[in-house]
Amino acid sequence: MEAQKNLPRLIGKRASAGSGKTFALALRFLELLSEAPPSPEHLGSIIAITFTNKAAAEMKERILRFLKELAFETDFAEKVLKNELKHINLTPDLARDWVDTIVENYFDFQVRTIDSFLLSILRGLSFELGIKPDSRVLFQKKKILEEVFTELLSELGKKDSPLKQAWQEALETFLLHDEKGGFYPENDLKRHILRNLYPHLSLNPEEEFLCLSEEEKQEFEEKKRKLKELYEKIYYLVKDLGIKTSRRLYAPWEISWDRLIDWEDKKIFLDCLAGVRETEELYKEIKALGREIRDWYLNKFVYCRLAGYYKILKVLREKVEELASEEGLLLGSEHWTSLILKVLKKEDLPPLVYAYFGKRFKHFLFDEFQDTSRPHWEALLPLLEELFASEEKGSLFVVGDPKQAIYGWRGGDWTIYHQLFNKENPLFPSLRPEEIVEEVLPQNYRSHPKLVSFFNAFFEHFAREELLQKKIQSATSKSTRKTIPEYFLSSSPEEVKKEFLKSLIKSFEGHSQESAVSLNEEAVIKPFFIKAATGEEFFEKLKEEFTCEIKKEWERVKNREETIAVLVRKNEQAEEVSSWLLEEGIPVITENALKISMCPKVKGLVSLLRVIEKPEEEVFAYGLLASGILKEIYSDLPSGEDELSERWQVEREELLKKVFDFTDELKKKVPGAEPYELLWEAVELLRLSPDREPFVERLLEVVHLYSLENGPGLSGFLRFWEEGGAEERIGLPENIKAVRVLTIHKAKGLEFDAVFLPFTDWRLNYQNLFEEVEKDGKKCLISLSKNLPEELKFLRGKRLAREAQETLNLFYVALTRARKRLYLFFPIYQMRGSTPISSWIQVLIKDTLARLEERET
């Protein structure tokens, strides 16, 4: 009994890349099963929580497979499992009984996603919240938001609409204060409101939000007008006197309000005018007014700048919630988590549903704990507090790795992991220090020993303070030497830089691994440093170097059981790389599959329809020729766009005649110009064979479905194609031999024999940073752009620090997907520096490889 009492109850496994986290979770599940005889009750007292259905299915499969291995006493059970489970009594007979118990009581086998578990809690709160217990879950919240936004926007066309004032204030803020616009601002306004503002503003009807009074608005406009007038005088005076400024002096009609009140920019011309007799009075006047406006701006306007959006945002939120209530919808995980927290804040004691789950579950296991969001954690906390406060010895087992935290953009908060194992300030005071244990999984079961050595040496730069504090010379500027925090957070307060440094060290401690892999062939770590004057030149050179190297790699593996992956940050990059590979005849599988509009043959067929609709538009005929699909009939047509461009200059009429000859023949066969019939006949004539052309086959499906739903009109289909039909994609089966092209986020948890990382010129997001804060006891939404008071500079710095750390985590995840070979491509711009991230990583890559080579020799 005493031994049971002293068993750890809060257990953490810090699992670096390839260290076997799913293996550790499955073993823990078996340990917990062995604590009692097989029964549905004991099985149902254990719950393992993952982030995806795929991970949940994988863990279930692993647990059952391990039990079967033990039941049949296989070699794997004898050599591996029994050694790992030697401290428990899980005999072959018990393992067999547990398999039977799980199969017969599969509903009690609780391995599920965090979203599904929180949804179960929410359904138990349906009475308190007044929602339907059978409410439907809708993950595509974006569609609902856009529909409601469009409905609210339509109110502008109605006479005496109560929303006119709200829209007027939103548009004034958008056009004047945010200084955005264009001839058709509604799309940009919609994007700004739905993407940037709506997710960050709670708009609780019980809370008051900070706004400017009418008098303050008028005062602000007057000061703004006066400052602009003074700036005009200064500008023309500087030009007339021929004074040279150290930086460009913007003309009055092109300078933005932010730049106008920015002290650093103003200092350029103020310093020039100081001591110039002709400008003495003007200099004093603008300096005094500039100080007055800047003080008022920093203390008041910054906090109220976005207040013009509040009314429309409030109506938008109310309409969305009203629609969700009427239709019985739950709008994604964020929505139902917020509803749970709403109940928890109102109640002094946790609701009955928490008592139910608290009584049922005694052991919790968490996968990928570093990606848990703060709202998710707060919604689960009452259960865990009750777990540790009760006399029954429940446990919490978490597997995570803060340096693989890459989901901050959707709320993931790796600091919760650190807080969980902070014994000086424990989250669960009822636990004794000896009941809290954190261990590092030291082995790497994925990568070649040479790659593991490289990872250890490279990421050591993140784990040691003396290396983080070391001044490093920029890859693009010999005169620039900065520490790592200075590279990333040059304009942030020193306190933020220190916190960033501590956080990096904390996340990367224990990063070093030992390789448990024995491979005969040599590993490859090959960086490419590509010099270019411009981004366009780099792109062209990258394409050439990348395709050359990946063709060699493809020839190496195409007849072997090996895999190649190209990892990127953005879907657009994935599509671009995929098109490069297809041009070289290399088969590709993408995570979401390719847009059919990227296929040259599809482009040609759509251009063909456009020529039939509008024969007078020669650009469509040119597009049809450029696609190359007509060469099946006219072999003397140009090959490639360069030859087409040259011949178009001198043979335009002849080339157009061939296009129109083909379309005339096609229209004779299909008199009604019905798009599906036209395409089917064109495919037959051009011998495109849809069963061997999946892109063409998918285009035919799209056209057919459109015709069934909307009728057979050609103009209507082409309009549909413009408005979104071109986004249609084609999926390819994963079991075919092909290069995988996917984002780094999607590659998490996967491994490949060879990994290519073509785009490393990563940038931090310095724009579109929004935060809800409190000022003078009222809530307000602020933009963390420049021109901020000190308290908001600190907040901006913290946001950038988190993004910088997540970017480095992303680089860690990308590199550690490789088993044997790793190819990296870096830009070295001659006209401008690389981004701080790329510039700094280039230096560390070179340094690491040099040190490893020196160690080997």
Side-chain angles (χ1 to χ4, degrees), residues 320 403 627 637 837:
V320 167
K403 63 182 176 292
S627 72
L637 284 176
I837 301 168

Side-chain angles (χ1 to χ4, degrees), residues 248-457:
R248 181 188 170 206
L249 199 58
Y250 286 84
W253 56 86
E254 62 180 355
I255 191 165
S256 68
W257 166 245
D258 275 325
R259 191 175 289 278
L260 192 60
I261 58 102
D262 184 78
W263 187 253
E264 287 303 311
D265 280 338
K266 198 175 313 98
K267 202 170 183 298
I268 301 166
F269 56 81
L270 286 179
D271 287 350
C272 291
L273 298 175
V276 179
R277 184 172 55 81
E278 294 89 339
T279 65
E280 189 172 343
E281 289 304 315
L282 195 57
Y283 172 78
K284 289 178 183 176
E285 188 178 358
I286 194 170
K287 192 167 185 180
L289 183 61
R291 282 177 179 162
E292 180 187 343
I293 289 181
R294 185 166 177 80
D295 289 343
W296 185 86
Y297 179 92
L298 294 178
N299 290 313
K300 192 75 175 178
F301 183 72
V302 163
Y303 295 93
C304 300
R305 178 174 188 159
L306 303 174
Y309 295 113
Y310 291 168
K311 287 180 183 176
I312 205 66
L313 282 166
K314 186 170 184 292
V315 175
L316 180 64
R317 188 174 294 276
E318 287 171 354
K319 289 286 185 184
V320 167
E321 291 183 357
E322 184 182 310
L323 179 64
S325 178
E326 287 175 0
E327 299 290 330
L329 298 175
L330 296 172
L331 304 177
S333 174
E334 289 178 10
H335 184 210
W336 64 67
T337 305
S338 68
L339 292 174
I340 292 170
L341 294 177
K342 184 178 175 182
V343 174
L344 288 176
K345 285 174 184 175
K346 282 185 178 180
E347 304 284 342
D348 293 331
L349 294 172
L352 285 175
V353 66
Y354 279 88
Y356 166 76
F357 282 122
K359 187 177 180 181
R360 178 179 179 185
F361 297 120
K362 299 294 179 273
H363 302 284
F364 286 79
L365 294 80
F366 275 87
D367 187 17
E368 302 284 12
F369 188 77
Q370 76 280 349
D371 294 324
T372 305
S373 73
R374 185 67 61 175
H376 281 167
W377 177 245
E378 289 174 359
L380 293 171
L381 201 53
L383 276 176
L384 300 172
E385 287 172 337
E386 177 61 26
L387 178 82
F388 290 128
S390 69
E391 293 183 5
E392 296 185 51
K393 295 298 177 182
S395 67
L396 171 62
F397 180 92
V398 303
V399 174
D401 184 15
K403 63 182 176 292
Q404 294 191 70
I406 58 173
Y407 290 101
W409 52 273
R410 70 178 187 197
D413 187 350
W414 69 80
T415 63
I416 302 171
Y417 183 92
H418 294 321
Q419 291 169 2
L420 207 53
F421 297 99
N422 183 351
K423 293 185 181 181
E424 295 176 6
N425 187 22
L427 274 176
F428 303 106
S430 58
L431 290 178
R432 299 188 302 277
E434 62 269 22
E435 292 181 310
I436 304 173
V437 175
E438 185 193 13
E439 298 170 350
V440 175
L441 299 177
Q443 303 275 35
N444 185 310
Y445 298 95
R446 174 184 298 158
S447 301
H448 191 289
K450 182 177 178 180
L451 281 174
V452 173
S453 296
F454 170 71
F455 300 150
N456 289 344

